Amino acid sequence: MLILGIDTSCDDTSASVISVDEGITVLSDIVSSQAEIHKKYGGIVPELASRRHIEMIGPVVHEALEIAGTGLEDIDLISVCHGPGLIGSLLVGCSFAKGLAFVKGIPLSGVNHLEGHIFSAMPFEAVEFPFLALIVSGGHTSLIRVDAPLKYREIGRTRDDAAGEAYDKVAKLLGLGYPGGPVIDKLALDGRPDAISFPRPYLPEDMDFSFSGLKTAVLNFVRSIPPERLNDLLPDLCASFQASVMDVLEKKVEWALKKEGLNRVVISGGVAANSELRRRFRTLSERPGITVHIPPRRYCTDNATMIAVAGYYHYRAGKLSDLYLNPKAYIPIEEENYESY
Ligand code: KG4
Ligand code: ZN
């Protein structure tokens, strides 16, 4: 079975072709990044993102098919992300996918962006159900219990900033540009994680997250030092900020696994590309009885392969979309729950 995946939920135009038989094989995975366009604004400008998607969607899908060595006539399913995300961006991918599905008579599946992240490790490792998914990206920080494909329950989420958003905002206030995650990750390698004591927002009473106070603590620290010292302090600042984020993520995963009686966790989203996160969770996976799945770095950030994989599970359950499929800026993950599983 050949599946064409499409994701235009945020600022990357992506298309992918996977083949599914006994296992899942990635035949192509194309991502056209808009980082250069949004860099000078220190964040994503939604209108510019939609316009760029319109320019890139055709060439990106074409390239994905070409690299996979196939054509639309061989595609058995088109899987497209219909939300959550930026509505103008989503509209481009959804309309394009519906157009192809209609003209070529190909079945269509609209999937939730978070489902994509949940399934992002599947092409690379055998992941057994049930498991806990930690999604840490620029738009989301969520803990989701996954009992089966299309059986989800969100058990925790951020009350304010997402983890990646905290990285981006801290990088912006330190003058490090956008996106902030990769540059903070790199600077932190030369810094001391215990150099500056930033708060750990554990919220121990539940599984929610909150990162906006941490961002304010970094801002207050920057204001308290002479500006000419900032450059020298950057590695320590980045390492200390990162240690605070990672302490919280690690603790919450441990608590959630215990609370839900689970022993497997899948971690995905842009922040899962972080070196310190990968190091810490590798250590956690050495604990007897705990399995940690993290996709290769480039499949942690947004990609259409994960959307194609999620579409496969929809198809297998008999849950297909019609041409009334519309993008939505917000879709609770529980809306995807489906009786067949
Ligand atoms: O999953 P993603 O590509 O898009 C969303 O769905 O949001 O995640 C993008 C986010 C950005 O906030 C970016 O700063 C962060 O992931 N990110 C990282 C790293 N690489 C990307 N954060 C920390 N360390 C990284 N190495
Ligand atoms: Zn994402």
Side-chain angles (χ1 to χ4, degrees):
M1 174 174 192
L2 287 183
I3 305 174
L4 169 67
I6 295 177
D7 185 277
T8 60
S9 55
C10 195
D11 62 337
D12 290 324
T13 318
S14 34
S16 158
V17 178
I18 63 166
S19 100
V20 186
D21 34 60
E22 264 102 81
I24 299 169
T25 311
V26 183
L27 300 180
S28 64
D29 182 82
I30 310 298
V31 179
S32 166
S33 167
Q34 301 183 358
E36 277 307 311
I37 295 175
H38 303 289
K39 214 176 196 159
K40 54 179 173 289
Y41 304 100
I44 299 163
V45 182
E47 182 57 30
L48 295 182
S50 325
R51 289 179 195 199
R52 187 66 179 156
H53 282 308
I54 293 174
E55 288 166 8
M56 295 313 296
I57 186 75
V60 164
V61 168
H62 188 264
E63 195 180 344
L65 291 167
E66 198 169 70
I67 289 184
T70 187
L72 282 173
E73 55 290 347
D74 296 320
I75 295 292
D76 301 296
L77 176 72
I78 298 176
S79 178
V80 65
C81 166
H82 69 119
L86 299 172
I87 197 72
S89 293
L90 290 164
L91 197 54
V92 177
C94 266
S95 308
F96 196 85
K98 287 198 289 186
L100 290 183
F102 175 65
V103 170
K104 297 288 182 183
I106 305 170
L108 177 71
S109 169
V111 309
N112 188 308
H113 186 76
L114 296 187
E115 288 187 283
H117 281 300
I118 286 170
F119 292 115
S120 59
M122 298 289 193
F124 315 102
E125 293 171 49
V127 182
E128 285 174 43
F129 295 91
F131 61 83
L132 176 74
L134 169 68
I135 300 170
V136 270
S137 69
H140 306 274
T141 303
S142 288
L143 281 167
I144 297 167
R145 185 189 167 99
V146 185
D147 280 300
L150 294 117
K151 251 199 184 10
Y152 314 107
R153 184 162 54 83
E154 188 174 52
I155 60 168
R157 57 178 11 239
T158 183
R159 295 184 186 173
D160 39 58
D161 292 347
E165 194 179 355
Y167 269 89
D168 294 337
K169 287 179 174 171
V170 164
K172 192 174 178 182
L173 74 90
L174 297 177
L176 299 174
Y178 173 86
V183 52
I184 290 182
D185 187 354
K186 201 156 168 245
L187 279 164
L189 293 174
D190 298 322
R192 291 167 301 152
D194 54 357
I196 306 158
S197 165
F198 287 129
R200 266 76 174 149
Y202 284 123
L203 307 176
E205 73 280 9
D206 62 28
M207 292 297 129
D208 281 353
F209 300 87
S210 166
F211 291 110
S212 75
L214 173 59
K215 172 195 67 191
T216 310
V218 176
L219 179 64
N220 288 340
F221 178 83
V222 170
R223 283 184 178 148
S224 74
I225 56 163
E228 62 278 10
R229 284 201 61 212
L230 181 60
N231 229 15
D232 290 343
L233 282 172
L234 276 179
D236 280 350
L237 233 168
C238 290
S240 301
F241 159 76
Q242 182 159 280
S244 173
V245 174
M246 294 306 157
D247 279 355
V248 172
L249 295 180
E250 202 180 347
K251 266 275 161 303
K252 288 275 163 164
V253 165
E254 284 181 46
W255 289 343
L257 286 173
K258 200 163 167 215
K259 186 167 174 241
E260 295 294 320
L262 295 170
N263 56 11
R264 272 180 291 274
V265 58
V266 172
I267 309 177
S268 175
V271 182
N274 184 274
S275 342
E276 176 62 9
L277 181 145
R278 300 176 84 86
R279 189 190 65 75
R280 284 185 185 225
F281 282 97
R282 216 175 297 129
T283 310
L284 181 69
S285 74
E286 282 159 14
R287 239 187 256 174
I290 296 203
T291 310
V292 180
H293 299 282
I294 311 181
R297 273 198 164 86
R298 64 159 297 191
Y299 292 94
C300 289
T301 48
D302 288 351
N303 64 86
T305 295
M306 65 187 198
I307 300 299
V309 176
Y312 165 69
Y313 285 106
H314 278 229
Y315 178 88
R316 219 173 73 168
K319 186 187 182 211
L320 288 175
S321 307
D322 58 25
L323 296 176
Y324 290 101
L325 178 75
N326 268 327
K328 286 194 203 166
Y330 174 64
I331 319 173
I333 189 73
E334 286 85 359
E335 257 185 41
E336 311 297 340
N337 285 348
Y338 197 61
E339 284 309 307
S340 291
Y341 273 102

